[in-house]
Amino acid sequence: MTDPFTLERRRRAIHGWLLLSPALVMLSVFAFYPSFATFVTSLWSRGTRRRPSEFVGFENYQYLFEDPTFWLVAWNNLLYAAVTIPISITLALAMALWANAKIPARSFVRTAYFTPAILPMIAAANLWLFFYTPSFGILNQIGGLLGADPVNWLGQPSTALWAVCAVTIWKEAGFFMIFYLAALQTIPPDLKEAAEIEGASRWTYLRRVVLPLLMPTTLFILINAMINSVKLIDHLFILTKGGPSDSSKLILYYIWENAFAYFDRPTAAAMTALMLAVLGALAAFQFLMLDKRTHYR
Amino acid sequence: MSRFVEPALAIVLAIVWISPLVFAAWAAFHDVSDAVNFRLMAPLTFDNFRTAWEGAPWLRYFLNTFLLVTLILAGQFLLCTLAGFAFAQMEFRGRDTVFILVLLQLFILPEVLIVENYRVAASLGLLDSLLGIGSPYMASAFGIFLMRQAFKSVPKDLDEAARIEGCSTLGVLWRVYVPAAHPTYLAYALVSVSTHWNNFLWPLIVTNSESARPLTVGLSLFGAPENGVDISVISAATLMVVGPLLLLFLLFQRQFAQAFLTAGVK
């Protein structure tokens, strides 16, 4: 005979797994299996009607590394991250400090900062088209008033990527501001008084008191910004389509293009596998860095 | 002196930040030739909205997006409630290992897995359907994590009291935990709806007819250069698409901000 205690434990285990099973099935079908399949696909050649797909080991990766477009796209993505992440975080901090201070028209200021965050990326891109269009775009009209020559912002390799970055920063900064704003409101006001009594300048107070207290928030935002620098590519479809001559193409867009425009699944899979590796490293970084002292209770 | 500099900067930045939306709104109500030449006194017109509205099956797109976000939210509520409850309040072997696996999915973004997810959706016959767009997002690791945190903070006494009253496990979940986690559900709903209302890449890949196409994909097709619509009409269409969500946001601004916080910070 099994004792009641064991029975109860077994009952709990069965209930637990039953509760988990719907989510686990969906996760397996749409996350774990596709991740695994990505790796497998990346090891096989691209099948054609005449030559069926065959196992080629790491050949697809080798081709990828020999493809100059891949390196250009990877470099673009690195630039995209290196520009959008620090600028949007800095802006977010400034916005939060201002939106938290006693300034006139504060609710207008807050709303203005945050509104872009809730627009679809596609809509944001449409709005910015108006700024960038060569003949009558607003940027060129303003430039014209100042005597500058018109610039084809989206149509030349030297500016296309920056134009794309600007839209991302516009979308992200207000979103990140919210997190800073919340963190700022948890800082006790006595700290500020104490700093004033000690004769610390506002700048010193900001640098020595506020910024360290905001550190966990900054890390949280940083992780989010890094993930966004991989996945925020919707506006490319409207603004540049990755051009001209791949100068504004980002990795996820290149994956999409390979898979759904060139029908080259193995190459797309190899790139996806590399991207998963980068995201995995990011996950490990987060678990190590943020393990104890984050927002996660 | 410096007392005025910072508020001035803050307000200038706010004006810069809102200006793309303001320009689009202004252009949408003016004839395109007036809009591109900035004739500020030009007469207002609704023609752009009329042209935009007739240019695409927007009603269908609106309906699709509405059904899509509802479907995803319903799926997420169901799956994440059950799984979050198991992770928070049931004790059994293997639970913590599985939880780490689930957390991994926070980094395996559905956006990145488009290539293989497309094959999965194809083999399940889900292409060009709302279910096909929604399925990859339903078992959201983020949602499971969020519900787990919410359920963990429910006092154990309530749970035990309900069990003594004769509630089954699911009964306790439904009568005690779900009502107690009400604010988390609201926050999660706002975040989920605004995320999926705006989602583009995966719906673009999965759909190929207007029967399941959501607003974002419809808008991108409508504005495509080969469609030959001018910037005023694009502005009008864009405003129509973002209008409902924007209105909702302006009405419930505080709740929106609070929702993103609850979802992000906890």
Side-chain angles (χ1 to χ4, degrees), chain A residues 115-151:
Chain A
T115 304
I118 58 150
L119 301 180
M121 208 67 189
I122 291 294
N126 276 342
L127 302 182
W128 278 77
L129 259 186
F130 206 4
F131 277 69
Y132 288 141
T133 316
S135 50
F136 53 80
I138 291 165
L139 281 182
N140 284 341
Q141 303 232 9
I142 295 171
L145 289 178
L146 302 173
D149 289 327
V151 177

Side-chain angles (χ1 to χ4, degrees), chain A residues 97-114:
Chain A
L97 288 170
W98 286 334
N100 198 42
K102 288 189 185 65
I103 58 165
R106 188 168 69 168
S107 66
F108 159 72
V109 167
R110 271 189 199 186
T111 311
Y113 291 160
F114 186 58

Side-chain angles (χ1 to χ4, degrees), chain A residues 41 98 111 113 141 170 286 295, chain B residues 6 10 17 36 107 116 265:
Chain A
T41 307
W98 286 334
T111 311
Y113 291 160
Q141 303 232 9
W170 182 69
Q286 174 169 35
H295 313 270
Chain B
E6 279 198 51
W17 233 240
V36 300
F107 287 86
E116 294 300 324
V265 175

Side-chain angles (χ1 to χ4, degrees), chain B residues 3-266:
Chain B
R3 262 189 326 134
F4 300 107
V5 172
E6 279 198 51
L9 275 178
I11 290 171
V12 167
L13 186 66
I15 291 170
V16 170
W17 233 240
I18 203 71
S19 62
L21 208 57
V22 173
F23 274 119
W26 184 78
F29 287 103
H30 289 84
D31 188 71
V32 66
S33 67
D34 292 331
V36 300
N37 293 312
F38 293 101
R39 295 199 194 101
L40 286 176
M41 304 316 289
L44 292 174
T45 167
F46 286 96
D47 287 352
N48 299 315
F49 285 95
R50 204 166 299 131
T51 316
W53 183 258
E54 283 160 5
W58 295 110
L59 219 49
R60 178 84 225 184
Y61 295 158
F62 264 108
L63 185 70
N64 287 340
T65 292
F66 178 76
L67 292 175
L68 176 68
V69 296
T70 313
L71 177 76
I72 293 179
L73 193 64
Q76 283 175 334
F77 272 4
L78 180 68
L79 295 178
C80 299
T81 299
L82 295 179
F85 180 60
F87 282 129
Q89 299 296 351
M90 310 289 283
E91 272 163 37
F92 52 94
R93 205 183 302 158
R95 184 189 71 172
D96 295 339
T97 323
V98 179
F99 186 59
I100 290 181
L101 266 181
V102 169
L103 282 189
L104 257 186
Q105 199 255 334
L106 281 177
F107 287 86
I108 312 177
L109 313 169
E111 282 81 9
V112 178
L113 290 174
I114 46 176
V115 183
E116 294 300 324
N117 269 346
Y118 181 81
R119 284 221 296 172
V120 171
S123 63
L124 294 174
L126 294 177
L127 292 186
D128 208 21
S129 73
L130 291 176
L131 203 58
I133 308 177
S135 298
Y137 300 103
M138 286 180 185
S140 133
F142 169 71
I144 294 174
F145 186 78
L146 204 63
M147 292 328 295
R148 170 182 175 266
Q149 298 306 95
F151 292 151
K152 266 192 171 244
S153 61
V154 173
K156 209 71 180 156
D157 313 358
L158 284 176
D159 180 316
E160 274 155 20
R163 275 178 210 274
I164 290 167
E165 296 281 322
C167 269
S168 63
T169 306
L170 280 179
V172 175
L173 173 60
W174 183 243
R175 301 242 167 79
V176 178
Y177 285 90
V178 170
H182 176 240
T184 310
Y185 281 110
L186 186 70
Y188 187 32
L190 283 177
V191 172
S192 167
V193 166
S194 59
T195 308
H196 292 289
W197 191 283
N198 295 344
N199 196 15
F200 171 72
L201 185 61
W202 176 244
L204 170 78
I205 293 167
V206 177
T207 56
N208 49 33
S209 75
E210 65 182 57
S211 67
R213 195 173 284 151
L215 275 172
T216 46
V217 179
L219 179 62
S220 82
L221 293 177
F222 178 75
E226 54 273 23
N227 215 352
V229 288
D230 64 54
I231 198 94
S232 284
V233 175
I234 291 183
S235 295
T238 307
L239 283 188
M240 280 186 339
V241 167
V242 301
L245 203 62
L246 203 62
L247 216 64
L248 219 64
F249 161 68
L250 290 175
L251 285 177
F252 298 103
Q253 205 180 146
R254 192 166 280 276
Q255 285 85 340
F256 255 94
Q258 202 56 47
F260 281 106
L261 285 179
T262 314
V265 175
K266 281 197 178 158

Side-chain angles (χ1 to χ4, degrees), chain A:
Chain A
M1 278 301 283
T2 3
D3 61 297
F5 186 67
T6 323
L7 268 181
E8 170 63 16
R9 231 179 45 188
R10 196 170 294 161
R11 196 182 64 86
R12 286 198 158 221
I14 292 172
H15 279 188
W17 284 105
L18 279 178
L19 287 168
L20 282 185
S21 55
L24 285 184
V25 168
M26 292 301 270
L27 276 178
S28 309
V29 174
F30 290 103
F32 301 135
Y33 166 74
S35 310
F36 170 74
T38 298
F39 186 63
V40 173
T41 307
S42 75
L43 300 179
W44 290 68
S45 72
R46 178 183 182 178
T48 56
R49 202 162 290 236
R50 261 188 239 150
R51 283 214 340 228
S53 150
E54 56 179 23
F55 184 78
V56 291
F58 286 95
E59 225 168 71
N60 290 317
Y61 293 88
Q62 204 182 323
Y63 286 138
L64 198 59
F65 293 146
E66 285 164 8
D67 172 14
T69 311
F70 170 71
W71 289 111
L72 176 64
V73 169
W75 173 244
N76 286 345
N77 219 138
L78 221 65
L79 279 180
Y80 181 66
V83 169
T84 57
I85 294 172
I87 296 183
S88 46
I89 292 182
T90 315
L91 273 175
L93 182 60
M95 287 171 169
L97 288 170
W98 286 334
N100 198 42
K102 288 189 185 65
I103 58 165
R106 188 168 69 168
S107 66
F108 159 72
V109 167
R110 271 189 199 186
T111 311
Y113 291 160
F114 186 58
T115 304
I118 58 150
L119 301 180
M121 208 67 189
I122 291 294
N126 276 342
L127 302 182
W128 278 77
L129 259 186
F130 206 4
F131 277 69
Y132 288 141
T133 316
S135 50
F136 53 80
I138 291 165
L139 281 182
N140 284 341
Q141 303 232 9
I142 295 171
L145 289 178
L146 302 173
D149 289 327
V151 177
N152 188 357
W153 298 97
L154 297 171
Q156 57 185 25
S158 56
T159 51
L161 186 60
W162 311 120
V164 167
C165 286
V167 180
T168 307
I169 293 169
W170 182 69
K171 272 278 291 166
E172 272 189 324
F175 181 61
F176 294 152
M177 171 195 74
I178 291 292
F179 298 100
Y180 273 134
L181 203 51
L184 281 176
Q185 284 167 357
T186 64
I187 296 178
D190 345 350
L191 282 179
K192 179 149 196 181
E193 284 163 26
E196 272 163 12
I197 290 167
E198 294 285 324
S201 69
R202 271 195 63 204
W203 175 242
T204 318
Y205 169 70
L206 181 68
R207 203 163 45 94
R208 305 294 283 274
V209 179
V210 175
L211 287 188
L213 284 173
L214 291 180
M215 209 47 203
T217 316
T218 305
L219 277 175
F220 171 81
I221 293 176
L222 181 68
I223 301 276
N224 269 289
M226 286 180 180
I227 291 177
N228 278 353
S229 70
V230 167
K231 78 172 186 190
L232 282 188
I233 59 146
D234 297 353
H235 48 331
L236 291 185
F237 285 86
I238 300 278
L239 292 175
T240 64
K241 301 202 189 302
S245 49
D246 300 328
S247 61
S248 65
K249 199 166 281 174
L250 301 174
I251 294 190
L252 188 52
Y253 191 91
Y254 197 42
I255 290 178
W256 173 82
E257 207 174 49
N258 267 293
F260 298 101
Y262 309 151
F263 301 103
D264 186 354
R265 260 190 334 111
T267 308
M271 255 189 292
T272 307
L274 291 175
M275 207 142 142
L276 285 176
V278 172
L279 289 171
L282 202 60
F285 167 76
Q286 174 169 35
F287 286 132
L288 291 178
M289 286 287 291
L290 305 185
D291 199 19
K292 294 283 175 286
R293 23 180 247 111
T294 41
H295 313 270
Y296 299 155
R297 270 181 287 170

